[in-house]
Amino acid sequence: MKPYIVVEWNDTETEAKGWLCIHNLIKGYCSGGLRMHPNVSKQEVMKLAEGMAYKYTAAGSTDIGGHKSGIAYDYKKPDAFAVLRRFMIAMRPYISMGIDVGDDLGTKYDDIMKVLNEFGLGVPITKAQSHDVDFVKRKKAYEVFYLTARDEEFVFDTLSNAITGFGVAYAVDEAHKIKEGKKDARVVIQGFGAVGTSCAFKLHQLGYQIVGIADANMLVSCKNGLDVERLINGVNQFGEMDEKTFETSYKVHQNTKWLDIDCDILVPAAIENAINSGNADKVKAGLIVEGANIPVSNKADQILHHRGVALVPDFLANMGCIRMVDRLLFGHIEMDVQEVNRDIESICRKNTRIVLEKWISTKKFSRDIAKEIFKPTIQDIYPV
Ligand code: NAD
């Protein structure tokens, strides 16, 4: 299926460019994040939108198509919010038609909500949804839940920030058990933002040792395991670690050295193409679980497949938040923190098991297996 709509934008005040891509619509509705990063490209946004369509299919959604937007601009610049706002104003006709825009790499949900509230929209919905009294009531409750519910341990600001990383950790645990038949292992994580921190936290809870973490500035390692909670307490709003929270036994390296650390499992949870044709042969781990979207390039896929490395693709591993949105907004489960956590654990483990068991029995590459099973097939032209 080709992308249904791709819209390009040029900022009037800066050099920023942006794209909105709707991969598919279901009953006129789709959802996905808006990212901001200097290297964002049209191809990347299209690939990410396609990934969202796979993700909703894998999440069992029958109500949401895949969308992604991206702005090529430095999210740390002081005018980053003004650029984000101008992009959203330009895309308002699509957003108000019912494209749900969430946060993503380099953007914050609060900022996106600020603009949506300025539009008088709140979380965008379609005209048909706005005429459904039960849906509107549920959406109101969901908006409050999304912004205020917290994880059971109260470590993270919101459950929505933590649930994706938790799901990634469940996928790691399931995949490792299937592959090695045991539980404990050493993990290296690239990225210590929303996904990286919550994944590290849950993995630590599940008994894994986090032996390396890379952020935008550095890589920290310790062969006896890092104190994850302490590192999380020191992290700033950009997902950057604070060296003051490091123990003397920790080693600090350039972040590009993250594949040099001995480990059993890699979780790339930061940027796209982090594992590519130039470094895929350096991977020491036998298992990669994609916390980020498209962190492994197509060429790296081939290298890893030939080397027998197992992989859990992004659209299975990092579906936590979107599955939560689907289940709550469309009334499949109660707005309850424990129930959301149970649901995410169950689906992330189930999908991982289906794909990795087939990987073992067929020797096909696991991403190809997952793409066959969870291929999105719906694209409807819904009346406005
Ligand atoms: P974030 O902005 O909260 O954190 C990004 C992290 O990546 C930060 O720790 C940053 O320092 C680090 N980073 C940036 N450049 C790096 C580099 N060159 N080397 C190492 N680390 C680097 O982002 P996030 O929300 O955690 O998202 C991370 C990835 O996960 C993105 O691909 C995003 O699309 C994907 N994702 C996020 C969610 C979610 O719920 N937040 C859901 C699904 C997928």
Side-chain angles (χ1 to χ4, degrees):
M1 196 192 287
K2 286 183 187 166
Y4 180 52
I5 295 173
V6 186
V7 187
E8 183 166 291
W9 166 81
N10 288 295
D11 191 15
T12 48
E13 313 289 317
T14 69
E15 289 307 298
K17 272 180 101 74
W19 299 268
L20 170 144
C21 176
I22 298 172
H23 189 81
N24 65 328
L25 288 169
I26 301 184
K27 293 169 230 169
Y29 188 59
C30 68
S31 180
L34 161 57
R35 62 169 45 192
M36 184 184 285
H37 197 275
N39 304 332
V40 170
S41 67
K42 180 179 169 185
Q43 277 62 34
E44 179 184 308
V45 172
M46 283 162 52
K47 196 170 172 187
L48 289 164
E50 183 185 31
M52 289 306 292
Y54 275 97
K55 209 178 287 190
Y56 280 111
T57 311
S61 173
T62 51
D63 294 287
I64 312 181
H67 144 258
K68 207 79 176 187
S69 288
I71 303 170
Y73 199 67
D74 185 349
Y75 58 90
K76 281 194 180 174
K77 283 200 171 167
D79 60 347
F81 174 71
V83 171
L84 174 98
R85 180 175 171 273
R86 285 194 292 274
F87 175 84
M88 289 179 68
I89 289 172
M91 298 302 162
R92 186 175 169 166
Y94 295 95
I95 294 172
S96 52
M97 167 192 115
I99 298 180
D100 182 21
V101 184
D103 54 322
D104 201 279
L105 192 71
T107 61
K108 297 280 169 222
Y109 196 62
D110 283 355
D111 287 341
I112 288 167
M113 276 314 288
K114 220 181 273 173
V115 185
L116 291 174
N117 286 334
E118 188 186 328
F119 292 172
L121 286 176
V123 176
I125 53 175
T126 65
K127 207 168 176 179
Q129 287 165 346
S130 74
H131 291 152
D132 176 340
V133 179
D134 288 341
F135 184 89
V136 172
K137 217 164 108 190
R138 222 171 29 244
K139 178 196 168 226
K140 284 209 175 104
Y142 157 79
E143 283 176 9
V144 174
F145 184 88
Y146 191 89
L147 290 173
T148 56
R150 303 201 43 196
D151 56 293
E152 286 172 68
E153 290 84 5
F154 287 87
V155 172
F156 299 94
D157 289 354
T158 57
L159 178 67
S160 49
N161 262 338
I163 200 70
T164 299
F166 289 177
V168 175
Y170 296 131
V172 167
D173 189 44
E174 194 66 26
H176 182 63
K177 277 193 289 191
I178 290 169
K179 195 170 164 284
E180 306 292 341
K182 59 179 184 180
K183 223 172 141 52
D184 55 319
R186 298 159 307 156
V187 185
V188 169
I189 301 178
Q190 185 199 49
F192 210 48
V195 179
T197 49
S198 47
C199 175
F201 178 81
K202 187 57 75 184
L203 280 176
H204 184 64
Q205 242 184 9
L206 291 168
Y208 289 79
Q209 248 189 358
I210 315 300
V211 293
I213 297 174
D215 67 15
N217 303 323
M218 66 184 122
L219 161 70
V220 62
S221 72
C222 178
K223 63 177 189 313
N224 297 323
L226 298 159
D227 183 340
V228 169
E229 281 201 48
R230 202 170 136 90
L231 294 180
I232 291 174
N233 284 335
V235 85
N236 71 13
Q237 58 163 323
F238 299 114
E240 294 164 346
M241 293 178 285
D242 180 355
E243 281 197 58
K244 289 201 270 313
T245 59
F246 295 179
E247 290 169 18
T248 48
S249 55
Y250 293 5
K251 287 188 182 157
V252 177
H253 328 247
Q254 284 179 341
N255 63 0
T256 48
K257 305 282 181 202
W258 69 298
L259 295 179
D260 294 347
I261 308 294
D262 270 324
C263 66
D264 309 294
I265 300 165
L266 279 178
V267 179
I271 49 171
E272 56 291 335
N273 293 331
I275 301 174
N276 49 59
S277 55
N279 63 14
D281 54 355
K282 287 180 73 181
V283 167
K284 297 180 182 185
L287 170 65
I288 296 175
V289 178
E290 295 184 326
N293 289 317
I294 55 169
V296 179
S297 75
N298 295 345
K299 285 191 176 150
D301 266 2
Q302 291 168 24
I303 298 168
L304 296 168
H305 176 42
H306 285 117
R307 292 189 49 208
V309 176
L311 181 138
V312 182
D314 47 8
F315 62 90
L316 299 189
N318 71 19
M319 67 158 68
C321 195
I322 67 110
R323 165 80 177 188
M324 177 178 96
V325 172
D326 179 75
R327 293 295 100 175
L328 297 182
L329 203 50
F330 292 91
H332 298 288
I333 61 171
E334 292 299 314
M335 294 195 199
D336 172 81
V337 173
Q338 284 181 345
E339 194 165 338
V340 168
N341 195 38
R342 265 196 304 273
D343 176 69
I344 302 305
E345 174 163 10
S346 154
I347 187 131
C348 287
R349 287 189 184 279
K350 185 178 98 184
N351 285 344
T352 299
R353 200 178 324 120
I354 292 170
V355 169
L356 282 205
E357 281 173 352
K358 208 158 179 197
W359 171 73
I360 290 169
S361 64
T362 63
K363 307 274 187 293
K364 281 185 179 176
F365 191 46
S366 47
R367 194 190 307 282
D368 297 334
I369 296 169
K371 282 187 129 178
E372 275 167 29
I373 299 174
F374 300 110
K375 194 179 169 68
T377 51
I378 305 171
Q379 165 57 62
D380 58 29
I381 312 291
Y382 211 69
V384 281

